[in-house]
Amino acid sequence: MNDLRSPEKRFRPEIEGVRTIATLLIAIYHIWLGRVSGGIDVFFIISGYLMTLSLLSRIERTGSVGFSNFILGLARRLFPQALFVIVVTGVLSLVFLPKVEWGEIVNHIAASTFYFENWRLAFDAVDYLALDNSASPFQHYWSLGVQGQFYILWPIILTTVYVIARKLLRTPVRKTLLVALVGVCAVSLTYSIYQTHHNQPWAYFDTFTRMWEFSIGGVFALVSPYLRVNERLRTVVGWIGLLIICLTGVLLPVSTVFPGYLAFVPISGVLLILTATEIPTSFGVDRLLHMKPLIYLGGLTYGIYLWHWPLLIFYRAHMNTTSVPIVDGLILLLITIVLSVFSTKLLEKPVLKMGRGHEKRQLIAVLSFMLLITCTSIITISVYIQKTSASMMNWDQTEKDYPGAKSIYYDIEPPEGLEPIPSALAIKTDLPKFYNDAECLGRDLTEVKKCSYGKVDNPAYVLALVGGSHSGHWFPALEILAEELDFRIDVYNHDGCRFTDEDPDGYLTENCVEWNANLIDELMKDPPDLVFTTATLNKHDKVLPGYINQWKYLEDITTIFAIRDNPRMKENIPLCLEKAKDPLDCAIDRIDGISDIIPWENTKGIPSNVIFEDLTDYFCDDTTCYPVIGNVIVYRDNNHLTAEYAKTLATPLKEPLQQAFRSIGN
């Protein structure tokens, strides 16, 4: 049986030109437009195309990939610059980034070093507690993670197909490989479309939702010998392809709709260019892509990609801005190119010359040393952060020094001159205790999970804490009161999911709506004495109908203790406090944080089983809502309470909660 024609493996200078344009688009979109360009998808297609040609040629020539030499060759090309940028970025992060962001640095360094930053970001994308994390200077390593995993999977796939075709089926290798790659593409694309529709933030970083893009590059490599187009048509389609690549990020919201079927847009641009430039034309796009400056920069694109993002993040942090003026952006690009020349010429090129013959051991030693230096840097930075965190702790702190909400309740003046708690390095992890119990968290699930705390054995009362994070952040206060008032806390948590059966603003997911229905069933089966939940949402001057509907389901079963939602601040408070000279610079006017109207007094149809409580006076006075009260930082972002401050709210919460339990007894 005849096989497909052998694809020609040769240097194609236009690919260097495409790489340059794609890399510059990535940097330009990031710096000035604050958008994603789709340039990464261009690299995925090119990687699939070139890697398939390279591996197929090697397998057909020698009968195997030579996996150890293949991996060593990859490490020789990828490690020098990537590891050097990681170390430099890690050190500079401690200089330019606020301390509140230091806690994430070590995790991102480790994930970037070992090529799983994409999975790290995927889990962060679906982790409610990580949604407010600032962009990491290592975030761009996600695409290197995807490509690194592709480089491991691809030789395995091609070797398997080769063995099956030669030894088992006795079919032509290239035809069998084409069928296999089409199958991989179909499965991955189907999965990608499904995940993009149901969980796009995860899908964006998932290696397997991206595999179809590499597969298309491989399929194109196999069929390219059959693609012959006349010069006039090649000229047209080549320029169309370049235009598609350049405009993808303008026409599509890439970061929120990829990598589903819309990723075909930039992919089609690459395929059109590769088809059009197979043979030189007189006025085609190859004339542009063959220009020496583009080809020269094509050899620097790896370094440009690695350097541009951390430089941008450090600029934004240092200048306290999210926008970059034209001149500043051009300077950033220039510095990026200069650093790329340095890291390419002085690090990558010398290492690339190693590995031939007797130098192989020397290459392994050099790469191992680079990896060792990076791991040592991870440990050193981690130890430095821990020591800094320890030095910021006030080990002699007393309740008198840090009264929090008690300073309002007892009308006392807290001591002046103390650094507020929690510290910048501790505040992101200052969470309610139940977040330590993964089995208690219901994020993105429909199943209702219950975990019990407080007076677990033979309590006088049972209180169900239900809803999302704005219910959950009251847990530290309830935990203190549970011992005093003799009640058990049953936590029914689903972050990002309010206790409601309606979604007027499109906020709730399908899972959340189903979880709410299941929660009502659960509460009806085993009714608590009291259901603690939020009564309102942000600045709304009425109680939401969906809240009322849920309460009505339980009207003849239990009592609802509905507490007014806390104000939302304009800025991330820990970040603001670290930059501000005065905490009041982070305060907001009361009218901007909460409605002057009492929502339940302005709402009809509230069932008789609801007890309302309003503790707004422990966040705001008559004019201002404060970021720090009684030397305790109120918020761990711009709207969620720190556990430290929530604990101090136990004092003003005790009496209304006690009255609620008494009313149940009566």
Side-chain angles (χ1 to χ4, degrees):
M1 186 184 296
N2 293 330
D3 206 346
L4 298 175
R5 295 178 197 168
S6 178
E8 184 182 3
K9 182 188 174 187
R10 60 185 173 87
F11 174 70
R12 297 187 61 173
E14 62 273 6
I15 289 181
E16 294 296 292
V18 171
R19 280 175 167 162
T20 298
I21 290 174
T23 304
L24 291 178
L25 283 172
I26 290 170
I28 289 168
Y29 273 72
H30 282 162
I31 292 171
W32 285 297
L33 303 180
R35 293 170 65 94
V36 178
S37 66
I40 292 297
D41 302 87
V42 172
F43 280 107
F44 289 167
I45 288 293
I46 291 176
S47 293
Y49 172 76
L50 295 177
M51 189 56 65
T52 301
L53 288 177
S54 176
L55 291 175
L56 182 61
S57 172
R58 183 180 300 195
I59 290 175
E60 291 186 330
R61 189 175 66 252
T62 66
S64 71
V65 169
F67 199 73
S68 60
N69 287 333
F70 171 73
I71 294 299
L72 187 61
L74 281 177
R76 183 175 59 184
R77 291 201 304 273
L78 300 178
F79 274 18
Q81 290 201 76
L83 296 181
F84 180 69
V85 173
I86 285 173
V87 172
V88 173
T89 302
V91 173
L92 292 181
S93 294
L94 302 179
V95 177
F96 289 102
L97 297 185
K99 290 183 177 65
V100 71
E101 295 180 10
W102 285 11
E104 298 296 316
I105 291 175
V106 173
N107 292 329
H108 282 291
I109 293 177
S112 300
T113 301
F114 296 104
Y115 285 81
F116 63 89
E117 175 69 356
N118 63 309
W119 295 111
R120 163 82 191 183
L121 293 175
F123 281 106
D124 280 354
V126 296
D127 181 358
Y128 186 80
L129 298 178
L131 295 182
D132 290 323
N133 285 351
S134 300
S136 161
F138 302 95
Q139 190 165 303
H140 61 316
Y141 275 80
W142 77 267
S143 66
L144 273 65
V146 172
Q147 284 184 288
Q149 293 152 40
F150 158 74
Y151 291 145
I152 299 297
L153 290 171
W154 219 236
I156 295 174
I157 291 174
L158 266 65
T159 300
T160 302
V161 171
Y162 179 80
V163 170
I164 291 174
R166 279 290 176 90
K167 306 295 184 182
L168 299 179
L169 301 180
R170 301 189 182 279
T171 54
V173 172
R174 290 189 286 275
K175 283 186 177 179
T176 307
L177 180 59
L178 178 62
V179 173
L181 293 188
V182 169
V184 170
C185 180
V187 172
S188 174
L189 178 58
T190 302
Y191 172 66
S192 180
I193 292 172
Y194 172 82
Q195 278 286 45
T196 302
H197 176 71
H198 287 87
N199 193 355
Q200 189 276 333
W202 173 279
Y204 193 84
F205 300 109
D206 187 337
T207 300
F208 301 104
T209 62
R210 297 283 185 170
M211 199 56 64
W212 68 276
E213 299 183 59
F214 296 102
S215 301
I216 285 183
V219 169
F220 184 84
L222 293 171
V223 302
S224 58
Y226 299 92
L227 299 177
R228 291 293 178 263
V229 184
N230 67 61
E231 182 172 344
R232 183 175 299 177
L233 186 56
R234 290 203 311 275
T235 300
V236 173
V237 300
W239 287 109
I240 291 175
L242 182 62
L243 193 64
I244 289 172
I245 291 174
C246 292
L247 294 180
T248 293
V250 173
L251 300 176
L252 297 173
V254 174
S255 64
T256 58
V257 298
F258 275 32
Y261 61 87
L262 285 174
F264 270 120
V265 175
I267 288 171
S268 66
V270 182
L271 298 181
L272 289 175
I273 289 176
L274 290 176
T275 302
T277 55
E278 185 72 31
I279 301 173
T281 58
S282 301
F283 302 101
V285 73
D286 54 299
R287 293 297 182 184
L288 171 66
L289 299 177
H290 286 188
M291 292 177 67
K292 289 184 178 179
L294 290 183
I295 293 176
Y296 175 77
L297 288 174
L300 301 175
T301 52
Y302 186 44
I304 292 172
Y305 180 77
L306 289 173
W307 285 110
H308 89 281
W309 181 254
L311 289 176
L312 176 60
I313 294 300
F314 295 148
Y315 173 88
R316 289 175 175 174
H318 181 66
M319 302 300 290
N320 193 24
T321 183
T322 56
S323 60
V324 182
I326 295 294
V327 174
D328 289 12
L330 291 173
I331 294 172
L332 279 175
L333 270 179
L334 180 61
I335 295 173
T336 296
I337 293 172
V338 170
L339 288 173
S340 302
V341 172
F342 166 79
S343 58
T344 302
K345 302 298 183 184
L346 298 185
L347 287 172
E348 183 181 283
K349 295 297 183 184
V351 175
L352 282 175
K353 293 178 181 177
M354 299 180 184
R356 297 177 178 86
H358 66 280
E359 291 185 345
K360 185 174 179 179
R361 291 183 180 178
Q362 182 183 358
L363 172 62
I364 294 174
V366 169
L367 294 176
S368 299
F369 179 72
M370 289 180 173
L371 191 58
L372 177 63
I373 291 294
T374 307
C375 292
T376 302
S377 300
I378 295 173
I379 296 171
T380 303
I381 291 172
S382 178
V383 170
Y384 177 79
I385 291 173
Q386 289 175 4
K387 287 186 175 181
T388 304
S389 179
S391 69
M392 295 174 68
M393 294 292 291
N394 185 349
W395 301 106
D396 298 323
Q397 71 184 52
T398 65
E399 186 177 314
K400 180 181 177 182
D401 294 331
Y402 298 93
K406 294 178 184 179
S407 63
I408 299 173
Y409 186 84
Y410 293 115
D411 193 19
I412 57 175
E413 287 292 331
E416 297 182 358
L418 296 177
E419 285 294 320
I421 59 172
S423 70
L425 286 172
I427 197 164
K428 276 195 174 183
T429 55
D430 190 44
L431 303 167
K433 188 172 73 175
F434 67 81
Y435 281 104
N436 296 327
D437 301 326
E439 67 275 9
C440 302
L441 306 180
R443 172 76 174 170
D444 292 325
L445 298 176
T446 59
E447 175 190 358
V448 175
K449 296 184 176 184
K450 180 180 78 172
C451 286
S452 299
Y453 304 89
K455 190 70 176 298
V456 177
D457 297 324
N458 300 316
Y461 304 101
V462 174
L463 178 147
L465 177 61
V466 306
S469 56
H470 275 244
S471 295
H473 64 199
W474 288 93
F475 176 85
L478 294 172
E479 189 176 32
I480 291 172
L481 295 176
E483 294 298 327
E484 297 181 28
L485 303 182
D486 193 18
F487 64 88
R488 185 180 81 220
I489 308 169
D490 287 345
V491 175
Y492 298 91
N493 174 263
H494 194 302
D495 279 341
C497 185
R498 307 163 190 145
F499 187 42
T500 179
D501 70 348
E502 289 188 10
D503 186 19
D505 53 4
Y507 175 81
L508 305 183
T509 63
E510 293 178 8
N511 287 346
C512 175
V513 174
E514 187 174 345
W515 178 84
N516 263 287
N518 293 338
L519 176 59
I520 289 294
D521 292 340
E522 187 72 23
L523 294 175
M524 286 181 172
K525 290 177 186 175
D526 185 17
D529 298 295
L530 205 63
V531 172
F532 188 105
T533 190
T534 49
T536 59
L537 174 63
N538 201 2
K539 289 174 61 179
H540 285 246
D541 58 7
K542 290 188 177 182
V543 178
L544 297 182
Y547 289 18
I548 296 173
N549 292 342
Q550 295 292 76
W551 302 343
K552 285 181 177 179
Y553 288 130
L554 304 173
E555 187 167 10
D556 298 325
I557 297 173
T558 187
T559 300
I560 309 294
F561 188 94
I563 195 161
R564 190 173 189 179
D565 199 8
N566 58 275
R568 261 73 162 175
M569 307 298 278
K570 289 184 178 179
E571 297 187 60
N572 181 298
I573 293 304
L575 285 175
C576 182
L577 290 173
E578 196 166 342
K579 297 172 184 176
K581 295 180 180 179
D582 187 333
L584 287 177
D585 294 340
C586 306
I588 62 172
D589 292 337
R590 179 181 174 117
I591 195 171
D592 292 328
I594 202 154
S595 173
D596 285 338
I597 300 172
I598 305 299
W600 46 89
E601 295 179 357
N602 190 39
T603 305
K604 296 180 180 179
I606 294 174
S608 59
N609 63 327
V610 183
I611 299 171
F612 291 102
E613 184 56 38
D614 186 353
L615 295 184
T616 300
D617 289 345
Y618 294 92
F619 300 99
C620 315
D621 59 21
D622 292 340
T623 60
T624 307
C625 297
Y626 296 94
V628 179
I629 296 174
N631 288 334
V632 180
I633 300 175
V634 180
Y635 303 95
R636 55 182 163 87
D637 44 34
N638 75 322
N639 65 97
H640 292 99
L641 306 182
T642 62
E644 286 285 356
Y645 190 72
K647 290 174 186 175
T648 69
L649 287 167
T651 299
L653 182 61
K654 180 178 180 179
E655 185 177 346
L657 201 60
Q658 198 168 28
Q659 290 177 356
F661 283 130
R662 286 172 181 164
S663 70
I664 294 169
N666 294 334

PDB file of all heavy atoms in Angstrom, residues 139-153:
ATOM      1  N   GLN A 139       3.134  34.336  35.219  1.00  0.00           N
ATOM      2  CA  GLN A 139       1.891  33.822  34.644  1.00  0.00           C
ATOM      3  C   GLN A 139       2.068  33.366  33.199  1.00  0.00           C
ATOM      4  O   GLN A 139       1.421  32.419  32.755  1.00  0.00           O
ATOM      5  CB  GLN A 139       0.819  34.907  34.740  1.00  0.00           C
ATOM      6  CG  GLN A 139      -0.576  34.454  34.405  1.00  0.00           C
ATOM      7  CD  GLN A 139      -1.614  35.464  34.869  1.00  0.00           C
ATOM      8  OE1 GLN A 139      -1.677  35.804  36.039  1.00  0.00           O
ATOM      9  NE2 GLN A 139      -2.398  35.969  33.937  1.00  0.00           N
ATOM     10  N   HIS A 140       2.954  34.049  32.461  1.00  0.00           N
ATOM     11  CA  HIS A 140       3.115  33.705  31.046  1.00  0.00           C
ATOM     12  C   HIS A 140       3.775  32.350  30.839  1.00  0.00           C
ATOM     13  O   HIS A 140       3.769  31.816  29.718  1.00  0.00           O
ATOM     14  CB  HIS A 140       3.922  34.793  30.340  1.00  0.00           C
ATOM     15  CG  HIS A 140       5.310  34.999  30.868  1.00  0.00           C
ATOM     16  ND1 HIS A 140       5.594  35.046  32.210  1.00  0.00           N
ATOM     17  CD2 HIS A 140       6.503  35.172  30.228  1.00  0.00           C
ATOM     18  CE1 HIS A 140       6.896  35.247  32.380  1.00  0.00           C
ATOM     19  NE2 HIS A 140       7.467  35.316  31.205  1.00  0.00           N
ATOM     20  N   TYR A 141       4.321  31.780  31.908  1.00  0.00           N
ATOM     21  CA  TYR A 141       4.919  30.452  31.787  1.00  0.00           C
ATOM     22  C   TYR A 141       3.875  29.356  31.575  1.00  0.00           C
ATOM     23  O   TYR A 141       4.233  28.198  31.348  1.00  0.00           O
ATOM     24  CB  TYR A 141       5.763  30.131  33.031  1.00  0.00           C
ATOM     25  CG  TYR A 141       7.183  30.660  32.954  1.00  0.00           C
ATOM     26  CD1 TYR A 141       7.463  31.988  33.233  1.00  0.00           C
ATOM     27  CD2 TYR A 141       8.242  29.835  32.602  1.00  0.00           C
ATOM     28  CE1 TYR A 141       8.752  32.480  33.167  1.00  0.00           C
ATOM     29  CE2 TYR A 141       9.540  30.312  32.537  1.00  0.00           C
ATOM     30  CZ  TYR A 141       9.794  31.641  32.814  1.00  0.00           C
ATOM     31  OH  TYR A 141      11.081  32.124  32.739  1.00  0.00           O
ATOM     32  N   TRP A 142       2.594  29.717  31.636  1.00  0.00           N
ATOM     33  CA  TRP A 142       1.557  28.710  31.419  1.00  0.00           C
ATOM     34  C   TRP A 142       1.683  28.087  30.025  1.00  0.00           C
ATOM     35  O   TRP A 142       1.519  26.864  29.863  1.00  0.00           O
ATOM     36  CB  TRP A 142       0.164  29.310  31.602  1.00  0.00           C
ATOM     37  CG  TRP A 142      -0.334  30.136  30.453  1.00  0.00           C
ATOM     38  CD1 TRP A 142      -0.217  31.482  30.300  1.00  0.00           C
ATOM     39  CD2 TRP A 142      -1.036  29.670  29.289  1.00  0.00           C
ATOM     40  NE1 TRP A 142      -0.783  31.885  29.114  1.00  0.00           N
ATOM     41  CE2 TRP A 142      -1.292  30.784  28.480  1.00  0.00           C
ATOM     42  CE3 TRP A 142      -1.454  28.409  28.861  1.00  0.00           C
ATOM     43  CZ2 TRP A 142      -1.962  30.702  27.268  1.00  0.00           C
ATOM     44  CZ3 TRP A 142      -2.121  28.311  27.639  1.00  0.00           C
ATOM     45  CH2 TRP A 142      -2.373  29.455  26.864  1.00  0.00           C
ATOM     46  N   SER A 143       1.990  28.922  29.018  1.00  0.00           N
ATOM     47  CA  SER A 143       2.076  28.388  27.654  1.00  0.00           C
ATOM     48  C   SER A 143       3.298  27.499  27.495  1.00  0.00           C
ATOM     49  O   SER A 143       3.275  26.520  26.738  1.00  0.00           O
ATOM     50  CB  SER A 143       2.110  29.527  26.627  1.00  0.00           C
ATOM     51  OG  SER A 143       3.296  30.295  26.762  1.00  0.00           O
ATOM     52  N   LEU A 144       4.389  27.808  28.222  1.00  0.00           N
ATOM     53  CA  LEU A 144       5.558  26.935  28.196  1.00  0.00           C
ATOM     54  C   LEU A 144       5.232  25.599  28.850  1.00  0.00           C
ATOM     55  O   LEU A 144       5.735  24.551  28.427  1.00  0.00           O
ATOM     56  CB  LEU A 144       6.732  27.601  28.919  1.00  0.00           C
ATOM     57  CG  LEU A 144       7.618  28.527  28.075  1.00  0.00           C
ATOM     58  CD1 LEU A 144       6.834  29.752  27.608  1.00  0.00           C
ATOM     59  CD2 LEU A 144       8.846  28.971  28.870  1.00  0.00           C
ATOM     60  N   GLY A 145       4.374  25.643  29.892  1.00  0.00           N
ATOM     61  CA  GLY A 145       3.939  24.407  30.522  1.00  0.00           C
ATOM     62  C   GLY A 145       3.165  23.531  29.557  1.00  0.00           C
ATOM     63  O   GLY A 145       3.406  22.314  29.456  1.00  0.00           O
ATOM     64  N   VAL A 146       2.238  24.140  28.823  1.00  0.00           N
ATOM     65  CA  VAL A 146       1.456  23.385  27.838  1.00  0.00           C
ATOM     66  C   VAL A 146       2.377  22.801  26.767  1.00  0.00           C
ATOM     67  O   VAL A 146       2.274  21.618  26.410  1.00  0.00           O
ATOM     68  CB  VAL A 146       0.389  24.291  27.190  1.00  0.00           C
ATOM     69  CG1 VAL A 146      -0.294  23.574  26.023  1.00  0.00           C
ATOM     70  CG2 VAL A 146      -0.655  24.706  28.218  1.00  0.00           C
ATOM     71  N   GLN A 147       3.297  23.625  26.259  1.00  0.00           N
ATOM     72  CA  GLN A 147       4.202  23.139  25.221  1.00  0.00           C
ATOM     73  C   GLN A 147       5.137  22.059  25.759  1.00  0.00           C
ATOM     74  O   GLN A 147       5.420  21.079  25.072  1.00  0.00           O
ATOM     75  CB  GLN A 147       5.008  24.306  24.643  1.00  0.00           C
ATOM     76  CG  GLN A 147       4.181  25.176  23.702  1.00  0.00           C
ATOM     77  CD  GLN A 147       5.006  26.278  23.066  1.00  0.00           C
ATOM     78  OE1 GLN A 147       5.374  27.238  23.726  1.00  0.00           O
ATOM     79  NE2 GLN A 147       5.301  26.146  21.797  1.00  0.00           N
ATOM     80  N   GLY A 148       5.627  22.229  26.987  1.00  0.00           N
ATOM     81  CA  GLY A 148       6.494  21.221  27.580  1.00  0.00           C
ATOM     82  C   GLY A 148       5.801  19.882  27.701  1.00  0.00           C
ATOM     83  O   GLY A 148       6.388  18.822  27.422  1.00  0.00           O
ATOM     84  N   GLN A 149       4.530  19.914  28.103  1.00  0.00           N
ATOM     85  CA  GLN A 149       3.764  18.666  28.219  1.00  0.00           C
ATOM     86  C   GLN A 149       3.489  18.073  26.837  1.00  0.00           C
ATOM     87  O   GLN A 149       3.478  16.839  26.661  1.00  0.00           O
ATOM     88  CB  GLN A 149       2.472  18.932  28.988  1.00  0.00           C
ATOM     89  CG  GLN A 149       2.711  19.283  30.450  1.00  0.00           C
ATOM     90  CD  GLN A 149       1.637  20.175  31.036  1.00  0.00           C
ATOM     91  OE1 GLN A 149       0.453  20.004  30.767  1.00  0.00           O
ATOM     92  NE2 GLN A 149       2.041  21.148  31.842  1.00  0.00           N
ATOM     93  N   PHE A 150       3.277  18.938  25.846  1.00  0.00           N
ATOM     94  CA  PHE A 150       3.113  18.475  24.466  1.00  0.00           C
ATOM     95  C   PHE A 150       4.385  17.780  23.982  1.00  0.00           C
ATOM     96  O   PHE A 150       4.329  16.726  23.337  1.00  0.00           O
ATOM     97  CB  PHE A 150       2.778  19.659  23.564  1.00  0.00           C
ATOM     98  CG  PHE A 150       3.087  19.444  22.113  1.00  0.00           C
ATOM     99  CD1 PHE A 150       2.296  18.616  21.333  1.00  0.00           C
ATOM    100  CD2 PHE A 150       4.181  20.064  21.520  1.00  0.00           C
ATOM    101  CE1 PHE A 150       2.576  18.412  19.991  1.00  0.00           C
ATOM    102  CE2 PHE A 150       4.475  19.858  20.180  1.00  0.00           C
ATOM    103  CZ  PHE A 150       3.673  19.028  19.413  1.00  0.00           C
ATOM    104  N   TYR A 151       5.542  18.362  24.317  1.00  0.00           N
ATOM    105  CA  TYR A 151       6.812  17.777  23.886  1.00  0.00           C
ATOM    106  C   TYR A 151       7.051  16.394  24.500  1.00  0.00           C
ATOM    107  O   TYR A 151       7.790  15.587  23.935  1.00  0.00           O
ATOM    108  CB  TYR A 151       7.974  18.705  24.256  1.00  0.00           C
ATOM    109  CG  TYR A 151       8.014  19.997  23.477  1.00  0.00           C
ATOM    110  CD1 TYR A 151       8.438  21.182  24.080  1.00  0.00           C
ATOM    111  CD2 TYR A 151       7.629  20.044  22.139  1.00  0.00           C
ATOM    112  CE1 TYR A 151       8.478  22.377  23.378  1.00  0.00           C
ATOM    113  CE2 TYR A 151       7.660  21.242  21.430  1.00  0.00           C
ATOM    114  CZ  TYR A 151       8.087  22.410  22.056  1.00  0.00           C
ATOM    115  OH  TYR A 151       8.114  23.579  21.350  1.00  0.00           O
ATOM    116  N   ILE A 152       6.452  16.138  25.635  1.00  0.00           N
ATOM    117  CA  ILE A 152       6.559  14.805  26.237  1.00  0.00           C
ATOM    118  C   ILE A 152       5.568  13.841  25.589  1.00  0.00           C
ATOM    119  O   ILE A 152       5.891  12.685  25.292  1.00  0.00           O
ATOM    120  CB  ILE A 152       6.297  14.874  27.762  1.00  0.00           C
ATOM    121  CG1 ILE A 152       7.337  15.778  28.445  1.00  0.00           C
ATOM    122  CG2 ILE A 152       6.305  13.475  28.366  1.00  0.00           C
ATOM    123  CD1 ILE A 152       8.752  15.282  28.336  1.00  0.00           C
ATOM    124  N   LEU A 153       4.345  14.323  25.352  1.00  0.00           N
ATOM    125  CA  LEU A 153       3.289  13.449  24.816  1.00  0.00           C
ATOM    126  C   LEU A 153       3.511  13.115  23.340  1.00  0.00           C
ATOM    127  O   LEU A 153       3.222  11.987  22.908  1.00  0.00           O
ATOM    128  CB  LEU A 153       1.923  14.120  24.983  1.00  0.00           C
ATOM    129  CG  LEU A 153       1.386  14.249  26.408  1.00  0.00           C
ATOM    130  CD1 LEU A 153       0.133  15.119  26.426  1.00  0.00           C
ATOM    131  CD2 LEU A 153       1.074  12.865  26.977  1.00  0.00           C
TER     132      LEU A 153
END
